[in-house]
Amino acid sequence: MKLIVGNQKTYLDRDKVLNFIEKTGKVDCSNVVICPSYPYFELFNNKSNFILGSQDVSETGLGASTGEVSAEQLKSFHVQYAIVGHSERRSYQHEDSNVLYHKIKCLLESDIRPIFCIGECLEERESDSTKDVIGKQILEVFDRLEKSEIEKIIIAYEPIWAIGTGITPVNDEIMDTTNYIKDLVNDKFDVSILVLYGGSVNKENISQLGEISAIDGYLIGGASTKADEFLEIMRENSK
């Protein structure tokens, strides 16, 4: 089975979270990571079988950073994975490669696996710059890390133009880009890395995406907040 990571963003209030947990609480979640909003960590720890992940992490450790959540704090809630560099944060919070490097370092020091998001916008895709863009995103961070650190990172390829649009690249495009990512990291750092695909993954296209042998799993946004749809995706992934 491939790894499923659900990024629930800020879609759900507390009652909806409890409803989601109730509907999904009795299924096999051994390959499923849920990344809820911070206030709901305890609910998932106490009432679900999901592996707990975080949607983000502070680039600094414990200390005077108002409003931030450190890797050490995430670890105390048994968080095992954390998303870094999602396109929304790159865009709205202006996170650059230096910030993302420090976030990844903090996670690794707390023994939490980073899920490092990369992806191109529509203009970059239409100008045939996808590989240049994602290659730069990878190297600007990975060039500063040790091989033993890179081995613990999971890359999530999310074409920005596909997030929340209902549009996904064709399988051949995803296969080609995923292989490029794996070859780049293997050739440059001698590391075989896991690559997830994200960008409008849903119950309608999960079967088709499952045919892509190169991808090792999925990073799922909106569909991870709808219990019935998420269960369908999980069942399809287990075939």
Side-chain angles (χ1 to χ4, degrees), residues 215-227:
I215 61 175
D216 302 297
Y218 315 96
L219 179 56
I220 303 172
S224 72
T225 67
K226 304 165 186 173

Side-chain angles (χ1 to χ4, degrees), residues 171-183:
N171 280 16
D172 286 347
E173 287 181 283
I174 298 173
M175 173 78 85
D176 181 59
T177 305
T178 303
N179 283 331
Y180 167 76
I181 293 166
K182 291 189 172 187
D183 290 344

Side-chain angles (χ1 to χ4, degrees), residues 109-128:
E109 288 169 3
S110 290
D111 196 28
I112 298 172
R113 286 194 82 172
I115 299 171
F116 178 47
C117 297
I118 60 172
E120 81 283 5
C121 66
L122 183 59
E123 181 180 351
E124 291 163 339
R125 181 201 186 208
E126 291 177 340
S127 65
D128 200 28

Side-chain angles (χ1 to χ4, degrees), residues 40-134:
Y40 307 139
F41 280 178
E42 202 71 76
L43 295 179
F44 278 94
N45 272 332
N46 291 340
K47 298 177 180 293
S48 82
N49 297 316
F50 292 108
I51 301 166
L52 188 60
S54 175
Q55 298 175 21
D56 190 38
V57 66
S58 174
E59 63 181 298
T60 59
L62 294 169
S65 298
T66 301
E68 296 291 328
V69 177
S70 73
E72 295 93 337
Q73 291 173 313
L74 295 181
K75 190 66 177 178
S76 71
F77 278 93
H78 311 292
V79 168
Q80 297 183 45
Y81 296 82
I83 299 169
V84 175
H86 191 281
S87 62
E88 292 163 358
R89 295 199 61 85
R90 289 179 185 262
S91 177
Y92 305 142
Q93 278 72 38
H94 310 293
E95 294 184 351
D96 59 17
S97 295
N98 187 56
V99 169
L100 303 181
Y101 162 75
H102 287 292
K103 289 189 174 193
I104 287 173
K105 288 288 288 187
C106 286
L107 291 171
L108 293 172
E109 288 169 3
S110 290
D111 196 28
I112 298 172
R113 286 194 82 172
I115 299 171
F116 178 47
C117 297
I118 60 172
E120 81 283 5
C121 66
L122 183 59
E123 181 180 351
E124 291 163 339
R125 181 201 186 208
E126 291 177 340
S127 65
D128 200 28
S129 301
T130 295
K131 292 178 180 177
D132 292 335
V133 170
I134 63 177

